[in-house]
Amino acid sequence: MAISTPPSSSSDTGGGYQNPNKSLGFFANAMKRKHSFIQFFAMTGILLLSVRSLGQKYRIHDLQEDNAALKEEQEGLVNRMNHIKQSLLAEADIEPTGAFASRLRQLFGDES
């Protein structure tokens, strides 16, 4: 009878032996394809800058809308304050002594 060789014989290419073409590390592979990696990182940077720019564009648009709303609200408050001021002065003018109207004009800074 012939003696058979065990499956882990020296003729097997598995085990501790690795093909040097397949065992390149990340950095070795990067150095081998340096141009492709530089191009990849440049394109990734451009993409990230584009996304950031787009976000800033929408933020500026939102801030412009907020600014317009605040201006509108300020105009409404100024109109309301002027209306209250005119109403107070008109009511004070009705008083016969005129002391209240005089005091209101001093407070409001009116010279008329």
Side-chain angles (χ1 to χ4, degrees):
M1 279 181 62
I3 300 175
S4 63
T5 59
S8 63
S9 68
S10 62
S11 64
D12 189 14
T13 59
Y17 178 74
Q18 293 179 346
N19 188 352
N21 293 334
K22 293 182 181 178
S23 67
L24 289 177
F26 177 75
F27 291 111
N29 199 9
M31 291 307 293
K32 186 176 176 184
R33 295 180 180 93
K34 185 166 53 170
H35 180 70
S36 297
F37 274 92
I38 291 172
Q39 187 178 17
F40 171 72
F41 287 123
M43 292 304 290
T44 302
I46 291 170
L47 176 70
L48 292 175
L49 287 174
S50 297
V51 169
R52 188 177 87 178
S53 177
L54 187 64
Q56 289 173 344
K57 174 185 168 186
Y58 285 117
R59 176 141 171 84
I60 288 172
H61 180 70
D62 289 344
L63 289 173
Q64 287 174 340
E65 286 180 353
D66 290 347
N67 191 17
L70 288 172
K71 282 182 181 180
E72 189 176 311
E73 185 177 351
Q74 181 191 15
E75 289 173 5
L77 289 172
V78 166
N79 289 339
R80 183 176 172 199
M81 188 174 69
N82 286 335
H83 177 69
I84 291 171
K85 181 179 171 182
Q86 294 302 320
S87 297
L88 281 173
L89 287 173
E91 194 171 321
D93 284 338
I94 296 173
E95 185 197 10
T97 63
F100 186 58
S102 173
R103 180 69 180 143
L104 279 178
R105 284 192 177 84
Q106 272 184 333
L107 289 173
F108 292 148
D110 284 348
E111 297 297 325
S112 56

